[in-house]
Amino acid sequence: DDDHEIQMIEDALVPPDDEVEGVLSKIIGLETVKNQIRGLRRTIELEKMDIERAGRGDAPLPRHMAFVGNPGTGKTFVAEVILPLFFQIGAVSSPNVVYACRDDLVDRKSETRTIAKTRRVIERASGGVLFVDEAYTLFPSTARPRGRDHGSAALREIASFMPSGSPLVLLSGYSEDLDRVLAANVVKNSVLLRVEFPDPSSSDIARMF
């Protein structure tokens, strides 16, 4: 099996003292996703070298991300194993990682309370990573009472912190729905890295089991 052989070769090449590669080697399939994480790591390393050579005090540019894919493709799993390493590779300045969904950000009673609730979550993630699962649920929906849907306020509050890069924001969701969020004016041009999660192959599923 070619996929299995590729995985065996990859495992054999993992440096024993490289924690990042050790974690990546445990993820079955998703080669393009793993390569994008490697590329991010290398880019940050090169940026830091350039900054040190130039004697500048600035930090690498913030790289807010989107994890895009169908249900069951591993978006949340990969986030849980990879995001704690972002501090190690220099993507963020703090090991803080906060996972949030709509209920963690939105208060059903008022927009003001939603903003305050969202800000508390952002403060907990300060310097680290804020992972927003199913981010498209922050958009208005006909399934929720009109005038009591304050998800947009939460999204605007998150977007207001994105230029600073603290926290690094990772939006996750299904392709068609999340594209609406990424096209919205409040976050447009702020998400620099889009990570596509392909559906697993039959051999990937067999190896998972």
Side-chain angles (χ1 to χ4, degrees):
D1 179 82
D2 290 340
D3 290 339
H4 185 57
E5 185 175 350
I6 290 171
Q7 186 71 37
M8 288 178 63
I9 293 172
E10 182 180 309
D11 292 346
L13 294 175
V14 173
D17 58 346
D18 192 320
E19 186 178 355
V20 176
E21 283 298 330
V23 169
L24 291 176
S25 70
K26 295 175 183 177
I27 299 173
I28 295 172
L30 298 177
E31 298 306 322
T32 56
V33 173
K34 290 187 280 189
N35 286 335
Q36 280 186 279
I37 299 299
R38 292 184 179 107
L40 173 65
R41 180 188 192 184
R42 184 58 180 155
T43 299
I44 290 171
E45 289 173 349
L46 292 173
E47 276 189 1
K48 284 188 170 183
M49 288 172 60
D50 289 342
I51 289 171
E52 288 172 1
R53 287 197 194 102
R56 305 197 310 267
D58 51 347
L61 291 171
R63 285 183 175 78
H64 304 297
M65 307 168 67
F67 276 11
V68 183
N70 291 327
T73 51
K75 301 183 296 295
T76 303
F77 168 73
V78 170
E80 288 174 348
V81 298
I82 291 297
L83 295 188
L85 300 176
F86 269 33
F87 173 66
Q88 182 177 321
I89 68 175
V92 292
S93 60
S94 164
N96 296 339
V97 180
V98 175
Y99 302 89
C101 62
R102 178 186 168 83
D103 288 345
D104 299 313
L105 303 167
V106 178
D107 187 289
R108 298 179 183 179
K109 294 184 178 180
S110 79
E111 182 173 309
T112 301
R113 291 170 67 165
T114 291
I115 292 171
K117 188 174 183 178
T118 301
R119 193 168 294 174
R120 286 194 295 271
V121 173
I122 293 170
E123 288 170 355
R124 281 169 43 216
S126 180
V129 184
L130 172 61
F131 177 82
V132 183
D133 200 11
E134 298 183 340
Y136 54 85
T137 60
L138 297 177
F139 266 18
S141 169
T142 55
R144 291 186 285 269
R146 191 173 181 180
R148 293 172 54 191
D149 189 349
H150 307 297
S152 296
L155 186 61
R156 288 195 302 271
E157 188 65 18
I158 292 170
S160 70
F161 283 81
M162 292 177 85
S164 71
S166 177
L168 184 152
V169 177
L170 198 162
L171 306 176
S172 177
Y174 314 143
S175 180
E176 185 176 343
D177 294 321
L178 192 57
D179 282 345
R180 293 173 56 226
V181 177
L182 300 178
N185 287 334
V186 288
V187 298
K188 198 172 184 180
N189 302 322
S190 294
V191 178
L192 299 182
L193 184 59
R194 179 189 177 98
V195 183
E196 297 276 356
F197 282 68
D199 293 338
S201 67
S202 299
S203 61
D204 287 338
I205 294 172
R207 286 169 55 209
M208 289 174 194
F209 278 97

